Every structure is written in C-alpha cells, then in structure tokens.
Amino acid sequence: MDGVFSQTWRDVGALDDIPRQGARTVATAIGPVAVFRTLDDSVFALEDSCPHKQGKLSQGIVHGHSVTCPLHNWVIGLADGIAAAPDDGCTKTVPVRLEGRRILLAAGP
Ligand code: FES
C-alpha cells in the first residue's frame, strides 16, 4: 500500500524521442521542465530556466552530465541544478526516471 508520501509519475515519452545530448520541454504545474538525455542514456530534468537570467536550458549544449546555458555559458549540473564555480546559483531539479525506455517525470507531491 502506498503511503501519503509516495511519488506519482507521469509518462512523458520515450527515451528515443530525445536525441542523445538533447532535451525536450514538458509543461508542468511549476512551468516548463527541460528533460535531458545524455550520451550515456541517462535522463535528468530541470526547471527550464537558468539561475542567471532565465535562459532556456533546454536549448543549451549538453556535455557529460552538465548543460551549458545558451545565453551566457554558465554550466549547470544536470543532477543537482547547481551552477559550476565561479558562477553561483541553482535551478530546481525534478525527479525523473526510466522504466524500460519510457521516461517518467514526477507528477507532483
Ligand atoms: S541566463 Fe544562463 S548564463 Fe545567463
């Protein structure tokens, strides 16, 4: 039996819908969320807004487990949303996981 803290998940598409080192955006209750696929087929999800000046991270360049913002090149960690030094800031992460080749995004508390 699930407890009150169980996470609900929403199927937001297939892994193969996102090119490696690419991203797509998903509309959510907190606004657009960028879902990233890395070269090693990991998936990560971040609010689609850079902590610097709200650049769209979904349009950034994915390298390793980071994304470089398209506006002023801040580097944001995909796992934690934290900007790499010397920059300072944090974007909200959204829980995401793979089930087979389907991408499941946390649908809320
Ligand atoms: S808005 Fe992302 S680096 Fe400036």
Side-chain angles (χ1 to χ4, degrees):
M1 185 83 179
D2 287 345
V4 289
F5 298 114
S6 67
Q7 180 67 67
T8 50
W9 299 92
R10 170 180 159 204
D11 186 320
V12 294
L15 180 64
D16 298 313
D17 292 343
I18 306 177
R20 288 198 172 107
Q21 295 183 292
R24 59 169 291 212
T25 54
V26 176
T28 75
I30 63 161
V33 166
V35 179
F36 299 90
R37 178 183 180 183
T38 58
L39 202 54
D40 61 4
D41 283 344
S42 300
V43 291
F44 299 94
L46 297 175
E47 206 173 12
D48 193 15
S49 177
C50 178
H52 180 218
K53 291 189 176 174
Q54 288 77 53
K56 289 190 184 307
L57 296 175
S58 58
Q59 294 172 11
I61 294 176
V62 175
H63 47 98
H65 284 187
S66 301
V67 60
T68 295
C69 178
L71 292 194
H72 318 95
N73 298 325
W74 280 28
V75 176
I76 311 297
L78 294 175
D80 55 15
I82 295 174
D87 301 316
D88 187 21
C90 186
T91 290
K92 198 177 291 180
T93 61
V94 179
V96 66
R97 66 186 177 90
L98 283 173
E99 194 170 282
R101 295 190 79 79
R102 303 298 301 181
I103 300 169
L104 302 184
L105 190 67

Short mmCIF file of all heavy atoms in Angstrom, two decimals, residues 54-108:
data_model
loop_
_atom_site.label_atom_id
_atom_site.label_comp_id
_atom_site.label_asym_id
_atom_site.label_seq_id
_atom_site.Cartn_x
_atom_site.Cartn_y
_atom_site.Cartn_z
N GLN A 54 17.46 33.40 -16.49
CA GLN A 54 16.34 32.62 -17.00
C GLN A 54 16.49 32.14 -18.45
O GLN A 54 15.50 31.96 -19.16
CB GLN A 54 15.00 33.39 -16.85
CG GLN A 54 14.52 33.49 -15.41
CD GLN A 54 15.31 34.54 -14.61
OE1 GLN A 54 15.41 35.69 -15.04
NE2 GLN A 54 15.87 34.14 -13.49
N GLY A 55 17.74 31.96 -18.91
CA GLY A 55 17.93 31.34 -20.23
C GLY A 55 17.28 29.96 -20.26
O GLY A 55 17.14 29.30 -19.23
N LYS A 56 16.88 29.55 -21.45
CA LYS A 56 16.22 28.24 -21.58
C LYS A 56 17.29 27.14 -21.65
O LYS A 56 17.95 26.97 -22.69
CB LYS A 56 15.34 28.22 -22.83
CG LYS A 56 14.11 29.09 -22.70
CD LYS A 56 13.17 28.84 -23.85
CE LYS A 56 11.97 29.76 -23.84
NZ LYS A 56 11.23 29.76 -22.59
N LEU A 57 17.42 26.42 -20.56
CA LEU A 57 18.45 25.37 -20.50
C LEU A 57 18.18 24.27 -21.51
O LEU A 57 19.11 23.60 -21.96
CB LEU A 57 18.54 24.81 -19.08
CG LEU A 57 18.99 25.83 -18.03
CD1 LEU A 57 18.93 25.22 -16.64
CD2 LEU A 57 20.39 26.35 -18.34
N SER A 58 16.91 24.09 -21.90
CA SER A 58 16.58 23.06 -22.91
C SER A 58 17.25 23.37 -24.24
O SER A 58 17.37 22.50 -25.09
CB SER A 58 15.07 22.97 -23.09
OG SER A 58 14.54 24.23 -23.49
N GLN A 59 17.67 24.63 -24.44
CA GLN A 59 18.33 25.00 -25.69
C GLN A 59 19.85 25.08 -25.52
O GLN A 59 20.56 25.55 -26.41
CB GLN A 59 17.77 26.34 -26.20
CG GLN A 59 16.31 26.22 -26.58
CD GLN A 59 15.66 27.55 -26.91
OE1 GLN A 59 16.33 28.56 -27.05
NE2 GLN A 59 14.34 27.55 -27.02
N GLY A 60 20.32 24.62 -24.37
CA GLY A 60 21.75 24.65 -24.11
C GLY A 60 22.46 23.45 -24.71
O GLY A 60 21.85 22.60 -25.36
N ILE A 61 23.75 23.39 -24.48
CA ILE A 61 24.57 22.30 -25.00
C ILE A 61 24.85 21.32 -23.87
O ILE A 61 25.40 21.71 -22.83
CB ILE A 61 25.87 22.84 -25.61
CG1 ILE A 61 25.51 23.70 -26.83
CG2 ILE A 61 26.83 21.71 -25.98
CD1 ILE A 61 26.68 24.38 -27.48
N VAL A 62 24.46 20.06 -24.08
CA VAL A 62 24.67 19.03 -23.07
C VAL A 62 26.06 18.42 -23.29
O VAL A 62 26.43 18.08 -24.41
CB VAL A 62 23.59 17.93 -23.19
CG1 VAL A 62 23.87 16.78 -22.23
CG2 VAL A 62 22.20 18.52 -22.95
N HIS A 63 26.82 18.32 -22.20
CA HIS A 63 28.14 17.67 -22.26
C HIS A 63 28.34 16.96 -20.94
O HIS A 63 28.10 17.54 -19.87
CB HIS A 63 29.25 18.68 -22.53
CG HIS A 63 29.16 19.92 -21.66
ND1 HIS A 63 29.91 20.08 -20.54
CD2 HIS A 63 28.36 21.01 -21.76
CE1 HIS A 63 29.60 21.24 -19.97
NE2 HIS A 63 28.66 21.83 -20.69
N GLY A 64 28.73 15.69 -21.01
CA GLY A 64 28.80 14.91 -19.77
C GLY A 64 27.45 14.96 -19.09
O GLY A 64 26.41 14.76 -19.73
N HIS A 65 27.45 15.23 -17.77
CA HIS A 65 26.20 15.36 -17.04
C HIS A 65 25.97 16.83 -16.67
O HIS A 65 25.55 17.15 -15.55
CB HIS A 65 26.18 14.46 -15.81
CG HIS A 65 25.95 13.01 -16.14
ND1 HIS A 65 25.75 12.04 -15.19
CD2 HIS A 65 25.86 12.37 -17.34
CE1 HIS A 65 25.58 10.87 -15.79
NE2 HIS A 65 25.65 11.04 -17.08
N SER A 66 26.26 17.71 -17.62
CA SER A 66 26.06 19.15 -17.43
C SER A 66 25.43 19.74 -18.68
O SER A 66 25.44 19.12 -19.74
CB SER A 66 27.41 19.85 -17.19
OG SER A 66 28.06 19.33 -16.05
N VAL A 67 24.90 20.95 -18.52
CA VAL A 67 24.40 21.69 -19.68
C VAL A 67 24.96 23.11 -19.61
O VAL A 67 25.03 23.70 -18.53
CB VAL A 67 22.85 21.69 -19.74
CG1 VAL A 67 22.21 22.33 -18.51
CG2 VAL A 67 22.34 22.38 -21.01
N THR A 68 25.39 23.61 -20.76
CA THR A 68 25.86 24.99 -20.84
C THR A 68 24.72 25.86 -21.33
O THR A 68 24.13 25.59 -22.39
CB THR A 68 27.07 25.10 -21.79
OG1 THR A 68 28.15 24.36 -21.21
CG2 THR A 68 27.51 26.55 -21.96
N CYS A 69 24.39 26.87 -20.57
CA CYS A 69 23.28 27.77 -20.91
C CYS A 69 23.58 28.48 -22.23
O CYS A 69 24.70 28.94 -22.46
CB CYS A 69 23.09 28.77 -19.79
SG CYS A 69 21.78 29.96 -20.14
N PRO A 70 22.55 28.59 -23.08
CA PRO A 70 22.78 29.22 -24.39
C PRO A 70 23.00 30.73 -24.32
O PRO A 70 23.50 31.32 -25.27
CB PRO A 70 21.49 28.90 -25.16
CG PRO A 70 20.45 28.70 -24.12
CD PRO A 70 21.17 28.09 -22.94
N LEU A 71 22.65 31.36 -23.21
CA LEU A 71 22.76 32.83 -23.18
C LEU A 71 24.14 33.33 -22.79
O LEU A 71 24.74 34.12 -23.51
CB LEU A 71 21.70 33.42 -22.25
CG LEU A 71 20.24 33.29 -22.71
CD1 LEU A 71 19.35 34.20 -21.89
CD2 LEU A 71 20.10 33.62 -24.19
N HIS A 72 24.66 32.90 -21.65
CA HIS A 72 25.95 33.44 -21.21
C HIS A 72 26.90 32.35 -20.73
O HIS A 72 27.83 32.60 -19.96
CB HIS A 72 25.76 34.48 -20.09
CG HIS A 72 24.61 35.42 -20.32
ND1 HIS A 72 23.36 35.21 -19.79
CD2 HIS A 72 24.52 36.54 -21.07
CE1 HIS A 72 22.54 36.18 -20.17
NE2 HIS A 72 23.21 37.00 -20.95
N ASN A 73 26.60 31.11 -21.15
CA ASN A 73 27.55 30.00 -20.96
C ASN A 73 27.80 29.56 -19.52
O ASN A 73 28.84 28.96 -19.24
CB ASN A 73 28.89 30.30 -21.63
CG ASN A 73 28.74 30.48 -23.12
OD1 ASN A 73 27.91 29.81 -23.74
ND2 ASN A 73 29.49 31.39 -23.70
N TRP A 74 26.87 29.82 -18.62
CA TRP A 74 27.01 29.19 -17.31
C TRP A 74 26.87 27.68 -17.51
O TRP A 74 26.11 27.23 -18.40
CB TRP A 74 25.91 29.66 -16.35
CG TRP A 74 26.15 30.99 -15.72
CD1 TRP A 74 26.87 32.03 -16.23
CD2 TRP A 74 25.62 31.44 -14.47
NE1 TRP A 74 26.83 33.10 -15.36
CE2 TRP A 74 26.07 32.76 -14.28
CE3 TRP A 74 24.81 30.85 -13.49
CZ2 TRP A 74 25.74 33.50 -13.14
CZ3 TRP A 74 24.48 31.58 -12.36
CH2 TRP A 74 24.95 32.89 -12.19
N VAL A 75 27.55 26.91 -16.67
CA VAL A 75 27.47 25.46 -16.75
C VAL A 75 26.68 24.96 -15.54
O VAL A 75 27.04 25.23 -14.39
CB VAL A 75 28.88 24.83 -16.78
CG1 VAL A 75 28.81 23.31 -16.75
CG2 VAL A 75 29.63 25.31 -18.02
N ILE A 76 25.59 24.26 -15.83
CA ILE A 76 24.68 23.81 -14.78
C ILE A 76 24.74 22.29 -14.69
O ILE A 76 24.64 21.59 -15.71
CB ILE A 76 23.23 24.24 -15.12
CG1 ILE A 76 23.13 25.73 -15.51
CG2 ILE A 76 22.27 23.88 -13.97
CD1 ILE A 76 23.53 26.69 -14.42
N GLY A 77 24.91 21.76 -13.48
CA GLY A 77 24.92 20.32 -13.28
C GLY A 77 23.52 19.75 -13.48
O GLY A 77 22.56 20.27 -12.91
N LEU A 78 23.41 18.70 -14.27
CA LEU A 78 22.07 18.14 -14.54
C LEU A 78 21.51 17.42 -13.31
O LEU A 78 20.31 17.39 -13.10
CB LEU A 78 22.14 17.18 -15.73
CG LEU A 78 22.47 17.82 -17.07
CD1 LEU A 78 22.63 16.75 -18.15
CD2 LEU A 78 21.39 18.82 -17.47
N ALA A 79 22.38 16.83 -12.52
CA ALA A 79 21.89 16.05 -11.38
C ALA A 79 21.43 16.92 -10.22
O ALA A 79 20.48 16.57 -9.52
CB ALA A 79 23.00 15.09 -10.90
N ASP A 80 22.09 18.07 -10.03
CA ASP A 80 21.76 18.88 -8.86
C ASP A 80 21.29 20.30 -9.21
O ASP A 80 20.87 21.04 -8.32
CB ASP A 80 22.96 18.95 -7.90
CG ASP A 80 24.23 19.46 -8.58
OD1 ASP A 80 24.14 20.01 -9.69
OD2 ASP A 80 25.32 19.28 -7.98
N GLY A 81 21.37 20.69 -10.47
CA GLY A 81 20.91 22.02 -10.88
C GLY A 81 21.82 23.15 -10.44
O GLY A 81 21.48 24.32 -10.59
N ILE A 82 22.99 22.80 -9.93
CA ILE A 82 23.89 23.82 -9.36
C ILE A 82 24.84 24.33 -10.44
O ILE A 82 25.41 23.55 -11.21
CB ILE A 82 24.67 23.24 -8.16
CG1 ILE A 82 23.68 22.91 -7.03
CG2 ILE A 82 25.75 24.19 -7.68
CD1 ILE A 82 24.30 22.20 -5.85
N ALA A 83 25.02 25.66 -10.46
CA ALA A 83 25.95 26.29 -11.39
C ALA A 83 27.38 26.00 -10.96
O ALA A 83 27.71 26.08 -9.77
CB ALA A 83 25.70 27.80 -11.44
N ALA A 84 28.22 25.68 -11.95
CA ALA A 84 29.63 25.43 -11.65
C ALA A 84 30.32 26.74 -11.30
O ALA A 84 30.02 27.79 -11.88
CB ALA A 84 30.30 24.77 -12.86
N ALA A 85 31.27 26.68 -10.36
CA ALA A 85 32.07 27.85 -9.98
C ALA A 85 32.81 28.37 -11.21
O ALA A 85 33.17 27.57 -12.08
CB ALA A 85 33.05 27.46 -8.88
N PRO A 86 33.04 29.67 -11.32
CA PRO A 86 32.84 30.69 -10.29
C PRO A 86 31.41 31.21 -10.23
O PRO A 86 31.13 32.09 -9.43
CB PRO A 86 33.80 31.79 -10.73
CG PRO A 86 33.77 31.70 -12.23
CD PRO A 86 33.66 30.22 -12.54
N ASP A 87 30.53 30.70 -11.07
CA ASP A 87 29.15 31.19 -11.04
C ASP A 87 28.43 30.58 -9.85
O ASP A 87 28.83 29.55 -9.32
CB ASP A 87 28.46 30.87 -12.36
CG ASP A 87 29.20 31.51 -13.53
OD1 ASP A 87 29.57 32.69 -13.39
OD2 ASP A 87 29.43 30.83 -14.53
N ASP A 88 27.36 31.21 -9.45
CA ASP A 88 26.71 30.83 -8.21
C ASP A 88 25.20 30.91 -8.39
O ASP A 88 24.66 31.98 -8.66
CB ASP A 88 27.17 31.81 -7.11
CG ASP A 88 26.68 31.38 -5.75
OD1 ASP A 88 26.36 30.19 -5.58
OD2 ASP A 88 26.61 32.25 -4.86
N GLY A 89 24.55 29.76 -8.28
CA GLY A 89 23.10 29.75 -8.42
C GLY A 89 22.62 28.32 -8.56
O GLY A 89 23.44 27.39 -8.65
N CYS A 90 21.32 28.14 -8.53
CA CYS A 90 20.78 26.79 -8.54
C CYS A 90 19.41 26.80 -9.22
O CYS A 90 18.58 27.66 -8.94
CB CYS A 90 20.66 26.28 -7.11
SG CYS A 90 20.16 24.57 -7.03
N THR A 91 19.23 25.84 -10.10
CA THR A 91 17.93 25.62 -10.75
C THR A 91 17.28 24.41 -10.11
O THR A 91 17.97 23.46 -9.75
CB THR A 91 18.16 25.37 -12.27
OG1 THR A 91 18.59 26.58 -12.86
CG2 THR A 91 16.90 24.90 -12.95
N LYS A 92 15.97 24.46 -10.00
CA LYS A 92 15.24 23.37 -9.36
C LYS A 92 15.33 22.09 -10.20
O LYS A 92 15.15 22.13 -11.42
CB LYS A 92 13.78 23.79 -9.22
CG LYS A 92 12.98 22.98 -8.22
CD LYS A 92 11.57 23.52 -8.10
CE LYS A 92 11.52 24.88 -7.43
NZ LYS A 92 10.15 25.41 -7.32
N THR A 93 15.61 20.98 -9.54
CA THR A 93 15.60 19.69 -10.23
C THR A 93 14.21 19.06 -10.08
O THR A 93 13.48 19.36 -9.12
CB THR A 93 16.64 18.72 -9.65
OG1 THR A 93 16.35 18.50 -8.28
CG2 THR A 93 18.05 19.28 -9.76
N VAL A 94 13.87 18.21 -11.01
CA VAL A 94 12.60 17.48 -10.95
C VAL A 94 12.94 16.00 -11.03
O VAL A 94 13.70 15.59 -11.92
CB VAL A 94 11.67 17.89 -12.12
CG1 VAL A 94 10.37 17.11 -12.07
CG2 VAL A 94 11.40 19.39 -12.08
N PRO A 95 12.41 15.17 -10.12
CA PRO A 95 12.71 13.75 -10.19
C PRO A 95 12.24 13.15 -11.52
O PRO A 95 11.14 13.45 -11.99
CB PRO A 95 11.92 13.15 -9.02
CG PRO A 95 11.72 14.30 -8.07
CD PRO A 95 11.57 15.50 -8.95
N VAL A 96 13.09 12.35 -12.09
CA VAL A 96 12.77 11.70 -13.37
C VAL A 96 13.43 10.34 -13.35
O VAL A 96 14.46 10.15 -12.71
CB VAL A 96 13.26 12.57 -14.55
CG1 VAL A 96 14.78 12.68 -14.60
CG2 VAL A 96 12.72 12.09 -15.89
N ARG A 97 12.82 9.37 -14.01
CA ARG A 97 13.44 8.05 -14.07
C ARG A 97 13.01 7.35 -15.35
O ARG A 97 12.05 7.76 -16.01
CB ARG A 97 13.08 7.21 -12.84
CG ARG A 97 11.63 6.83 -12.73
CD ARG A 97 11.37 6.13 -11.39
NE ARG A 97 9.96 5.82 -11.22
CZ ARG A 97 9.40 4.68 -11.62
NH1 ARG A 97 10.12 3.75 -12.20
NH2 ARG A 97 8.11 4.47 -11.42
N LEU A 98 13.75 6.30 -15.66
CA LEU A 98 13.42 5.49 -16.81
C LEU A 98 12.74 4.22 -16.35
O LEU A 98 13.12 3.62 -15.34
CB LEU A 98 14.69 5.10 -17.58
CG LEU A 98 15.31 6.19 -18.45
CD1 LEU A 98 16.65 5.72 -18.98
CD2 LEU A 98 14.37 6.56 -19.60
N GLU A 99 11.73 3.82 -17.10
CA GLU A 99 11.15 2.49 -16.89
C GLU A 99 11.18 1.83 -18.25
O GLU A 99 10.41 2.21 -19.15
CB GLU A 99 9.73 2.62 -16.35
CG GLU A 99 9.21 1.30 -15.81
CD GLU A 99 7.90 1.50 -15.05
OE1 GLU A 99 7.95 1.96 -13.89
OE2 GLU A 99 6.86 1.24 -15.66
N GLY A 100 12.14 0.92 -18.41
CA GLY A 100 12.41 0.42 -19.76
C GLY A 100 12.93 1.60 -20.56
O GLY A 100 13.90 2.23 -20.18
N ARG A 101 12.26 1.92 -21.65
CA ARG A 101 12.70 3.07 -22.46
C ARG A 101 11.68 4.20 -22.39
O ARG A 101 11.68 5.10 -23.24
CB ARG A 101 12.98 2.64 -23.90
CG ARG A 101 14.17 1.66 -23.94
CD ARG A 101 14.65 1.36 -25.32
NE ARG A 101 15.49 2.41 -25.91
CZ ARG A 101 16.79 2.59 -25.62
NH1 ARG A 101 17.39 1.87 -24.70
NH2 ARG A 101 17.48 3.52 -26.24
N ARG A 102 10.80 4.16 -21.39
CA ARG A 102 9.86 5.26 -21.18
C ARG A 102 10.41 6.20 -20.12
O ARG A 102 11.05 5.77 -19.15
CB ARG A 102 8.48 4.74 -20.70
CG ARG A 102 7.83 3.73 -21.61
CD ARG A 102 7.52 4.28 -22.99
NE ARG A 102 6.64 5.44 -22.97
CZ ARG A 102 6.23 6.08 -24.09
NH1 ARG A 102 6.65 5.66 -25.28
NH2 ARG A 102 5.45 7.13 -24.00
N ILE A 103 10.15 7.48 -20.31
CA ILE A 103 10.61 8.50 -19.36
C ILE A 103 9.45 8.86 -18.44
O ILE A 103 8.37 9.25 -18.92
CB ILE A 103 11.10 9.76 -20.10
CG1 ILE A 103 12.27 9.40 -21.01
CG2 ILE A 103 11.51 10.83 -19.10
CD1 ILE A 103 12.64 10.53 -21.97
N LEU A 104 9.69 8.72 -17.15
CA LEU A 104 8.66 9.07 -16.16
C LEU A 104 9.14 10.27 -15.37
O LEU A 104 10.24 10.28 -14.80
CB LEU A 104 8.41 7.89 -15.22
CG LEU A 104 7.98 6.58 -15.87
CD1 LEU A 104 7.68 5.53 -14.79
CD2 LEU A 104 6.76 6.76 -16.77
N LEU A 105 8.29 11.30 -15.34
CA LEU A 105 8.61 12.53 -14.64
C LEU A 105 7.71 12.63 -13.41
O LEU A 105 6.52 12.27 -13.49
CB LEU A 105 8.33 13.71 -15.59
CG LEU A 105 8.80 15.09 -15.16
CD1 LEU A 105 10.33 15.16 -15.15
CD2 LEU A 105 8.24 16.15 -16.11
N ALA A 106 8.28 13.09 -12.32
CA ALA A 106 7.47 13.25 -11.11
C ALA A 106 6.30 14.17 -11.40
O ALA A 106 6.47 15.24 -11.98
CB ALA A 106 8.32 13.83 -9.99
N ALA A 107 5.12 13.74 -11.03
CA ALA A 107 3.91 14.49 -11.37
C ALA A 107 3.48 15.41 -10.24
O ALA A 107 2.51 16.13 -10.36
CB ALA A 107 2.79 13.53 -11.71
N GLY A 108 4.18 15.38 -9.13
CA GLY A 108 3.82 16.26 -8.01
C GLY A 108 4.00 15.52 -6.71
O GLY A 108 4.40 14.36 -6.70
#
